[in-house]
Amino acid sequence: MEQVFGVIGDPIGHSLSPIIHNDAFMNLGIKARYHAFHVKKQDLEIAVKGMKALGIKGFNVTVPHKVAIIPFLDELDESAQLLHAVNTVVNDNGKLIGYNTDGYGFYRSLKEHVDVHPQNVKVLIIGAGGAARAIYTTLAKEGFSHIDLVNRTVERAHALKENCPIEVKGEVFTYQQFAKSKDPYDVMIQTTSIGMKPNVNEKPIDLKGHVHEKTVVADIIYNPIQTALLQEAESLGLATVDGVGMLVHQGAYAFQLWTGKEPDAERMKQLLYEKLRGTI
Ligand code: NAP
């Protein structure tokens, strides 16, 4: 019998996950399909019960359900407990177990591009939403000891820092305060939605004055692939990391949790680049 997997979210129509997972099932000869399910906030509990009742083998969880789904699951793995959010659910013989592969996906993508060692690295995270929390907590767990935060709602950034179970040195800035600070960063990670299509000319900060020649600039937005911030970084001759790698590696890890098989991450990445560049 064909196994069923999927992703739940609202909105969900533009999700790229079905493309990579369905291709990986085909490529590995696994009889399965991955579907996007549009689930509204008020229907979350019943949708999760339905997933269980229908024997859906596993599913991804995206905005706005990553935290709200927690009470409806049977168990949380260490990653989901640490990040207090779930982006992947495994149906283990009727027991729904929540995982979080977002932070792992980002860190794997970062390491793929640059040789970063946590010690003595000064990091800036721009944003303090769900993705920022996953990345902050993962970097803290990996031993990064200095992470500054800048966010429009500064209270949200303070809460992120204070609620992280691992203590990390670092300051919290408003954008105005950040503009006046002049210390350069080794790694800068953009996690807000500023610069996402259609607002492709927008960027949350100016890099000048905050970088040195070896600074690495990452943006987790993947549409467009090269955001205005990454364009500025390239024009300054800096190494950049786009958001496609994170999308691929969080998905590849979820795929492995569901099937026990490792998908071809490079193939997934090329598929996404082709799709995002409009050639498929
Ligand atoms: P979220 O929880 O809603 O957080 C949104 C963040 O963006 C907050 O820091 C918010 O600041 C900031 N923001 C939004 N609009 C803003 C504006 N007009 N001015 C200033 N700040 C603004 O969302 P999320 O789940 O963290 O996702 C954030 C982005 O990451 C999205 O673009 C998403 O597509 C992308 N993402 C990519 C991947 C990947 O695999 N590559 C994975 C997850 C997310 P406030 O706190 O002040 O509201």
Side-chain angles (χ1 to χ4, degrees):
M1 203 171 73
E2 192 177 73
Q3 295 183 332
V4 179
F5 296 86
V7 55
I8 59 170
D10 179 24
I12 201 65
H14 296 292
S15 173
L16 298 172
S17 297
I19 297 175
I20 54 172
H21 289 293
N22 284 324
D23 180 75
F25 288 137
M26 190 196 66
N27 191 37
L28 290 169
I30 298 171
K31 263 179 82 178
R33 283 302 288 174
Y34 183 106
H35 301 275
F37 298 105
H38 186 193
V39 175
K40 291 195 174 294
K41 254 186 193 162
Q42 63 271 25
D43 297 327
L44 180 61
E45 181 173 7
I46 198 157
V48 174
K49 283 186 175 154
M51 293 288 208
K52 199 182 210 178
L54 293 170
I56 289 182
K57 287 286 170 193
F59 56 97
N60 286 125
V61 183
T62 188
V63 177
H65 305 314
K66 288 185 181 185
V67 177
I69 196 170
I70 290 175
F72 310 130
L73 300 176
D74 298 306
E75 215 175 273
L76 293 183
D77 143 273
E78 193 197 333
S79 59
Q81 281 177 33
L82 188 67
L83 274 49
H84 194 66
V86 167
N87 81 327
T88 301
V89 175
V90 174
N91 184 349
D92 183 7
N93 294 313
K95 189 161 72 171
L96 298 185
I97 309 172
Y99 293 78
N100 195 308
T101 68
D102 278 334
Y104 164 87
F106 173 78
Y107 193 46
R108 176 87 194 257
S109 165
L110 181 70
K111 285 201 299 186
E112 215 168 60
H113 286 79
V114 286
D115 190 18
V116 275
H117 299 282
Q119 294 79 21
N120 307 319
V121 169
K122 194 171 169 191
V123 179
L124 174 74
I125 296 182
I126 306 160
R133 189 172 58 185
I135 292 171
Y136 184 98
T137 311
T138 302
L139 294 184
K141 187 168 168 262
E142 292 294 333
F144 285 79
S145 57
H146 188 127
I147 309 175
D148 288 350
L149 286 163
V150 55
N151 196 44
R152 175 180 61 179
T153 313
V154 74
E155 299 77 20
R156 207 173 173 194
H158 278 293
L160 188 163
K161 183 176 166 60
E162 277 151 29
N163 294 333
C164 178
I166 303 154
E167 204 178 319
V168 182
K169 206 166 60 182
E171 289 187 61
V172 171
F173 299 114
T174 61
Y175 284 108
Q176 289 77 6
Q177 291 164 335
F178 176 78
K180 289 185 201 140
S181 79
K182 284 292 169 223
D183 273 356
Y185 290 92
D186 303 301
V187 179
M188 298 172 96
I189 306 160
Q190 197 308 107
T191 73
T192 74
S193 39
I194 303 173
M196 227 166 94
K197 235 175 191 171
N199 305 314
V200 297
N201 295 322
E202 293 179 6
K203 55 191 174 87
I205 58 160
D206 284 325
L207 294 175
K208 275 194 195 127
H210 302 287
V211 296
H212 54 67
E213 60 182 13
K214 294 222 164 86
T215 300
V216 177
V217 181
D219 198 323
I220 69 163
I221 288 175
Y222 50 81
N223 197 8
I225 299 167
Q226 203 192 31
T227 58
L229 189 76
L230 293 189
Q231 283 174 33
E232 185 192 0
E234 287 210 345
S235 74
L236 295 171
L238 305 176
T240 60
V241 181
D242 66 43
V244 175
M246 175 175 175
L247 185 61
V248 162
H249 287 297
Q250 61 79 27
Y253 187 25
F255 188 96
Q256 213 172 328
L257 290 169
W258 296 325
T259 65
K261 298 208 166 88
E262 197 178 337
D264 182 344
E266 198 45 47
R267 183 182 164 105
M268 285 179 157
K269 201 181 287 174
Q270 289 319 315
L271 252 179
L272 288 180
Y273 279 134
E274 282 168 24
K275 173 74 183 167
L276 289 164
R277 290 187 181 123
T279 55
I280 57 169

mmCIF file of all heavy atoms in Angstrom, residues 63 66 102 126-132 151-153 156 175 191-194 196 220-222 243-244 246-248 250, ligand 1:
data_model
loop_
_atom_site.group_PDB
_atom_site.id
_atom_site.type_symbol
_atom_site.label_atom_id
_atom_site.label_comp_id
_atom_site.label_asym_id
_atom_site.label_seq_id
_atom_site.Cartn_x
_atom_site.Cartn_y
_atom_site.Cartn_z
ATOM 1 N N VAL A 63 4.218 27.243 9.585
ATOM 2 C CA VAL A 63 3.503 28.402 10.137
ATOM 3 C C VAL A 63 2.009 28.273 9.892
ATOM 4 O O VAL A 63 1.608 27.901 8.794
ATOM 5 C CB VAL A 63 4.047 29.695 9.461
ATOM 6 C CG1 VAL A 63 3.284 30.925 9.935
ATOM 7 C CG2 VAL A 63 5.534 29.834 9.720
ATOM 8 N N LYS A 66 3.610 25.490 14.481
ATOM 9 C CA LYS A 66 4.795 24.811 15.029
ATOM 10 C C LYS A 66 4.800 24.680 16.562
ATOM 11 O O LYS A 66 5.316 23.713 17.098
ATOM 12 C CB LYS A 66 6.074 25.520 14.576
ATOM 13 C CG LYS A 66 6.389 25.298 13.095
ATOM 14 C CD LYS A 66 7.711 25.915 12.710
ATOM 15 C CE LYS A 66 7.976 25.686 11.236
ATOM 16 N NZ LYS A 66 9.297 26.155 10.813
ATOM 17 N N ASP A 102 14.658 22.183 12.014
ATOM 18 C CA ASP A 102 15.005 23.494 11.443
ATOM 19 C C ASP A 102 16.420 23.957 11.824
ATOM 20 O O ASP A 102 17.187 24.403 10.961
ATOM 21 C CB ASP A 102 14.004 24.566 11.916
ATOM 22 C CG ASP A 102 12.723 24.563 11.096
ATOM 23 O OD1 ASP A 102 12.749 24.134 9.930
ATOM 24 O OD2 ASP A 102 11.688 25.012 11.632
ATOM 25 N N ILE A 126 19.541 38.370 13.042
ATOM 26 C CA ILE A 126 18.588 39.437 12.749
ATOM 27 C C ILE A 126 17.204 38.788 12.779
ATOM 28 O O ILE A 126 16.922 37.884 11.973
ATOM 29 C CB ILE A 126 18.862 40.050 11.358
ATOM 30 C CG1 ILE A 126 20.325 40.496 11.269
ATOM 31 C CG2 ILE A 126 17.895 41.197 11.074
ATOM 32 C CD1 ILE A 126 20.828 40.648 9.843
ATOM 33 N N GLY A 127 16.363 39.218 13.728
ATOM 34 C CA GLY A 127 15.044 38.614 13.878
ATOM 35 C C GLY A 127 14.954 37.841 15.177
ATOM 36 O O GLY A 127 15.982 37.472 15.767
ATOM 37 N N ALA A 128 13.719 37.612 15.633
ATOM 38 C CA ALA A 128 13.528 36.878 16.886
ATOM 39 C C ALA A 128 12.255 36.036 16.817
ATOM 40 O O ALA A 128 11.599 35.798 17.832
ATOM 41 C CB ALA A 128 13.467 37.854 18.056
ATOM 42 N N GLY A 129 11.889 35.591 15.631
ATOM 43 C CA GLY A 129 10.709 34.751 15.455
ATOM 44 C C GLY A 129 11.052 33.275 15.666
ATOM 45 O O GLY A 129 12.095 32.942 16.260
ATOM 46 N N GLY A 130 10.189 32.405 15.160
ATOM 47 C CA GLY A 130 10.369 30.968 15.354
ATOM 48 C C GLY A 130 11.672 30.441 14.766
ATOM 49 O O GLY A 130 12.373 29.644 15.406
ATOM 50 N N ALA A 131 11.996 30.889 13.558
ATOM 51 C CA ALA A 131 13.222 30.392 12.913
ATOM 52 C C ALA A 131 14.449 30.890 13.662
ATOM 53 O O ALA A 131 15.421 30.148 13.859
ATOM 54 C CB ALA A 131 13.259 30.848 11.459
ATOM 55 N N ALA A 132 14.399 32.154 14.115
ATOM 56 C CA ALA A 132 15.525 32.717 14.880
ATOM 57 C C ALA A 132 15.742 31.899 16.154
ATOM 58 O O ALA A 132 16.873 31.593 16.524
ATOM 59 C CB ALA A 132 15.249 34.172 15.227
ATOM 60 N N ASN A 151 16.075 43.016 16.664
ATOM 61 C CA ASN A 151 14.702 42.748 16.226
ATOM 62 C C ASN A 151 13.841 43.992 16.388
ATOM 63 O O ASN A 151 14.108 44.843 17.237
ATOM 64 C CB ASN A 151 14.085 41.600 17.042
ATOM 65 C CG ASN A 151 12.847 41.031 16.385
ATOM 66 O OD1 ASN A 151 12.829 40.815 15.177
ATOM 67 N ND2 ASN A 151 11.796 40.782 17.157
ATOM 68 N N ARG A 152 12.827 44.094 15.512
ATOM 69 C CA ARG A 152 11.891 45.221 15.600
ATOM 70 C C ARG A 152 11.229 45.241 16.978
ATOM 71 O O ARG A 152 11.241 46.231 17.674
ATOM 72 C CB ARG A 152 10.834 45.070 14.491
ATOM 73 C CG ARG A 152 9.742 46.086 14.541
ATOM 74 C CD ARG A 152 8.759 45.869 13.413
ATOM 75 N NE ARG A 152 8.108 44.560 13.472
ATOM 76 C CZ ARG A 152 7.198 44.141 12.604
ATOM 77 N NH1 ARG A 152 6.863 44.908 11.586
ATOM 78 N NH2 ARG A 152 6.637 42.952 12.729
ATOM 79 N N THR A 153 10.662 44.095 17.393
ATOM 80 C CA THR A 153 10.028 44.003 18.717
ATOM 81 C C THR A 153 11.106 43.502 19.672
ATOM 82 O O THR A 153 11.346 42.296 19.786
ATOM 83 C CB THR A 153 8.840 43.016 18.669
ATOM 84 O OG1 THR A 153 8.057 43.332 17.521
ATOM 85 C CG2 THR A 153 7.987 43.089 19.914
ATOM 86 N N ARG A 156 10.651 40.694 22.226
ATOM 87 C CA ARG A 156 10.638 39.313 21.714
ATOM 88 C C ARG A 156 12.068 38.744 21.683
ATOM 89 O O ARG A 156 12.292 37.572 21.972
ATOM 90 C CB ARG A 156 10.043 39.327 20.303
ATOM 91 C CG ARG A 156 9.398 38.048 19.904
ATOM 92 C CD ARG A 156 8.698 38.205 18.575
ATOM 93 N NE ARG A 156 8.209 36.925 18.103
ATOM 94 C CZ ARG A 156 7.805 36.696 16.870
ATOM 95 N NH1 ARG A 156 7.806 37.662 15.973
ATOM 96 N NH2 ARG A 156 7.379 35.507 16.505
ATOM 97 N N TYR A 175 16.786 48.152 15.980
ATOM 98 C CA TYR A 175 17.494 48.488 14.743
ATOM 99 C C TYR A 175 18.233 49.824 14.882
ATOM 100 O O TYR A 175 19.330 49.987 14.349
ATOM 101 C CB TYR A 175 16.529 48.513 13.550
ATOM 102 C CG TYR A 175 16.152 47.113 13.102
ATOM 103 C CD1 TYR A 175 14.891 46.595 13.338
ATOM 104 C CD2 TYR A 175 17.082 46.297 12.455
ATOM 105 C CE1 TYR A 175 14.556 45.307 12.948
ATOM 106 C CE2 TYR A 175 16.753 45.005 12.071
ATOM 107 C CZ TYR A 175 15.489 44.523 12.316
ATOM 108 O OH TYR A 175 15.171 43.240 11.932
ATOM 109 N N THR A 191 17.019 36.303 9.639
ATOM 110 C CA THR A 191 15.908 35.352 9.796
ATOM 111 C C THR A 191 14.545 36.027 9.723
ATOM 112 O O THR A 191 13.540 35.374 10.002
ATOM 113 C CB THR A 191 15.990 34.610 11.152
ATOM 114 O OG1 THR A 191 15.635 35.532 12.194
ATOM 115 C CG2 THR A 191 17.355 34.034 11.428
ATOM 116 N N THR A 192 14.474 37.325 9.416
ATOM 117 C CA THR A 192 13.149 37.961 9.324
ATOM 118 C C THR A 192 12.579 37.702 7.920
ATOM 119 O O THR A 192 13.257 37.143 7.059
ATOM 120 C CB THR A 192 13.219 39.490 9.538
ATOM 121 O OG1 THR A 192 13.780 40.091 8.371
ATOM 122 C CG2 THR A 192 14.032 39.857 10.755
ATOM 123 N N SER A 193 11.330 38.142 7.727
ATOM 124 C CA SER A 193 10.760 37.983 6.383
ATOM 125 C C SER A 193 11.045 39.209 5.500
ATOM 126 O O SER A 193 10.524 39.303 4.396
ATOM 127 C CB SER A 193 9.264 37.706 6.493
ATOM 128 O OG SER A 193 8.700 38.481 7.510
ATOM 129 N N ILE A 194 11.893 40.126 5.975
ATOM 130 C CA ILE A 194 12.212 41.332 5.187
ATOM 131 C C ILE A 194 13.108 40.945 3.999
ATOM 132 O O ILE A 194 14.185 40.369 4.188
ATOM 133 C CB ILE A 194 12.921 42.389 6.053
ATOM 134 C CG1 ILE A 194 12.058 42.747 7.260
ATOM 135 C CG2 ILE A 194 13.253 43.638 5.229
ATOM 136 C CD1 ILE A 194 12.737 43.647 8.268
ATOM 137 N N MET A 196 11.704 39.190 1.420
ATOM 138 C CA MET A 196 11.004 38.083 0.745
ATOM 139 C C MET A 196 10.196 38.622 -0.426
ATOM 140 O O MET A 196 9.715 39.759 -0.367
ATOM 141 C CB MET A 196 10.038 37.456 1.756
ATOM 142 C CG MET A 196 10.069 35.969 1.821
ATOM 143 S SD MET A 196 9.210 35.475 3.306
ATOM 144 C CE MET A 196 7.609 35.199 2.665
ATOM 145 N N ILE A 220 18.031 33.221 5.573
ATOM 146 C CA ILE A 220 17.249 31.977 5.475
ATOM 147 C C ILE A 220 16.076 32.108 4.520
ATOM 148 O O ILE A 220 15.400 31.130 4.236
ATOM 149 C CB ILE A 220 16.806 31.448 6.859
ATOM 150 C CG1 ILE A 220 15.768 32.359 7.505
ATOM 151 C CG2 ILE A 220 17.980 31.249 7.777
ATOM 152 C CD1 ILE A 220 15.031 31.666 8.646
ATOM 153 N N ILE A 221 15.850 33.323 3.996
ATOM 154 C CA ILE A 221 14.834 33.469 2.937
ATOM 155 C C ILE A 221 15.340 32.712 1.707
ATOM 156 O O ILE A 221 16.526 32.788 1.383
ATOM 157 C CB ILE A 221 14.625 34.962 2.608
ATOM 158 C CG1 ILE A 221 13.880 35.648 3.762
ATOM 159 C CG2 ILE A 221 13.884 35.154 1.286
ATOM 160 C CD1 ILE A 221 13.727 37.150 3.609
ATOM 161 N N TYR A 222 14.444 31.986 1.028
ATOM 162 C CA TYR A 222 14.888 31.271 -0.182
ATOM 163 C C TYR A 222 14.167 31.758 -1.438
ATOM 164 O O TYR A 222 14.453 31.277 -2.533
ATOM 165 C CB TYR A 222 14.738 29.751 -0.011
ATOM 166 C CG TYR A 222 13.384 29.323 0.472
ATOM 167 C CD1 TYR A 222 12.312 29.211 -0.388
ATOM 168 C CD2 TYR A 222 13.177 29.048 1.819
ATOM 169 C CE1 TYR A 222 11.063 28.846 0.064
ATOM 170 C CE2 TYR A 222 11.927 28.686 2.293
ATOM 171 C CZ TYR A 222 10.876 28.591 1.410
ATOM 172 O OH TYR A 222 9.631 28.235 1.862
ATOM 173 N N GLY A 243 19.056 30.593 1.625
ATOM 174 C CA GLY A 243 18.116 29.818 2.439
ATOM 175 C C GLY A 243 17.747 28.453 1.875
ATOM 176 O O GLY A 243 17.078 27.662 2.558
ATOM 177 N N VAL A 244 18.186 28.158 0.656
ATOM 178 C CA VAL A 244 17.805 26.880 0.041
ATOM 179 C C VAL A 244 18.433 25.705 0.803
ATOM 180 O O VAL A 244 17.793 24.668 1.008
ATOM 181 C CB VAL A 244 18.188 26.855 -1.464
ATOM 182 C CG1 VAL A 244 17.912 25.490 -2.073
ATOM 183 C CG2 VAL A 244 17.429 27.938 -2.216
ATOM 184 N N MET A 246 19.121 25.409 3.986
ATOM 185 C CA MET A 246 18.374 25.103 5.221
ATOM 186 C C MET A 246 17.104 24.327 4.890
ATOM 187 O O MET A 246 16.769 23.334 5.549
ATOM 188 C CB MET A 246 18.023 26.402 5.945
ATOM 189 C CG MET A 246 17.152 26.203 7.168
ATOM 190 S SD MET A 246 16.892 27.751 8.047
ATOM 191 C CE MET A 246 15.725 27.240 9.314
ATOM 192 N N LEU A 247 16.413 24.791 3.845
ATOM 193 C CA LEU A 247 15.164 24.131 3.434
ATOM 194 C C LEU A 247 15.426 22.663 3.077
ATOM 195 O O LEU A 247 14.685 21.760 3.471
ATOM 196 C CB LEU A 247 14.588 24.893 2.238
ATOM 197 C CG LEU A 247 13.232 24.451 1.724
ATOM 198 C CD1 LEU A 247 12.172 24.613 2.799
ATOM 199 C CD2 LEU A 247 12.833 25.277 0.492
ATOM 200 N N VAL A 248 16.509 22.450 2.349
ATOM 201 C CA VAL A 248 16.859 21.090 1.929
ATOM 202 C C VAL A 248 17.213 20.225 3.139
ATOM 203 O O VAL A 248 16.691 19.109 3.295
ATOM 204 C CB VAL A 248 18.055 21.124 0.942
ATOM 205 C CG1 VAL A 248 18.713 19.763 0.821
ATOM 206 C CG2 VAL A 248 17.594 21.630 -0.409
ATOM 207 N N GLN A 250 16.635 20.581 6.421
ATOM 208 C CA GLN A 250 15.571 20.268 7.389
ATOM 209 C C GLN A 250 14.660 19.190 6.797
ATOM 210 O O GLN A 250 14.185 18.314 7.501
ATOM 211 C CB GLN A 250 14.812 21.522 7.876
ATOM 212 C CG GLN A 250 14.079 22.350 6.828
ATOM 213 C CD GLN A 250 12.737 21.745 6.407
ATOM 214 O OE1 GLN A 250 12.106 21.035 7.171
ATOM 215 N NE2 GLN A 250 12.331 22.005 5.181
HETATM 216 P P1 NAP B 1 8.002 34.554 12.500
HETATM 217 O O1 NAP B 1 8.063 33.684 13.687
HETATM 218 O O2 NAP B 1 6.701 35.161 12.110
HETATM 219 O O3 NAP B 1 9.079 35.764 12.715
HETATM 220 C C1 NAP B 1 9.148 36.816 11.793
HETATM 221 C C2 NAP B 1 10.368 37.704 12.080
HETATM 222 O O4 NAP B 1 10.416 38.717 11.047
HETATM 223 C C3 NAP B 1 10.295 38.446 13.405
HETATM 224 O O5 NAP B 1 11.594 38.699 13.878
HETATM 225 C C4 NAP B 1 9.608 39.761 12.978
HETATM 226 O O6 NAP B 1 9.876 40.830 13.845
HETATM 227 C C5 NAP B 1 10.310 40.000 11.662
HETATM 228 N N1 NAP B 1 9.550 40.885 10.779
HETATM 229 C C6 NAP B 1 8.501 40.548 9.988
HETATM 230 N N2 NAP B 1 8.073 41.634 9.299
HETATM 231 C C7 NAP B 1 8.865 42.673 9.690
HETATM 232 C C8 NAP B 1 8.937 44.042 9.335
HETATM 233 N N3 NAP B 1 8.089 44.588 8.453
HETATM 234 N N4 NAP B 1 9.899 44.828 9.908
HETATM 235 C C9 NAP B 1 10.763 44.290 10.800
HETATM 236 N N5 NAP B 1 10.754 42.997 11.176
HETATM 237 C C10 NAP B 1 9.809 42.188 10.624
HETATM 238 O O7 NAP B 1 8.517 33.813 11.195
HETATM 239 P P2 NAP B 1 9.631 32.630 11.082
HETATM 240 O O8 NAP B 1 8.949 31.329 11.096
HETATM 241 O O9 NAP B 1 10.716 32.897 12.069
HETATM 242 O O10 NAP B 1 10.147 32.856 9.573
HETATM 243 C C11 NAP B 1 10.890 33.994 9.218
HETATM 244 C C12 NAP B 1 11.420 33.884 7.799
HETATM 245 O O11 NAP B 1 12.264 32.755 7.687
HETATM 246 C C13 NAP B 1 10.341 33.695 6.725
HETATM 247 O O12 NAP B 1 10.716 34.484 5.616
HETATM 248 C C14 NAP B 1 10.420 32.228 6.371
HETATM 249 O O13 NAP B 1 10.058 31.954 5.049
HETATM 250 C C15 NAP B 1 11.903 31.951 6.569
HETATM 251 N N6 NAP B 1 12.194 30.532 6.904
HETATM 252 C C16 NAP B 1 13.023 29.839 6.073
HETATM 253 C C17 NAP B 1 13.318 28.517 6.360
HETATM 254 C C18 NAP B 1 14.233 27.747 5.446
HETATM 255 O O14 NAP B 1 14.180 26.518 5.491
HETATM 256 N N7 NAP B 1 15.067 28.380 4.655
HETATM 257 C C19 NAP B 1 12.767 27.892 7.500
HETATM 258 C C20 NAP B 1 11.923 28.650 8.336
HETATM 259 C C21 NAP B 1 11.648 29.974 8.029
HETATM 260 P P3 NAP B 1 8.871 41.115 15.104
HETATM 261 O O15 NAP B 1 9.237 40.133 16.173
HETATM 262 O O16 NAP B 1 9.165 42.521 15.469
HETATM 263 O O17 NAP B 1 7.458 40.927 14.579
#
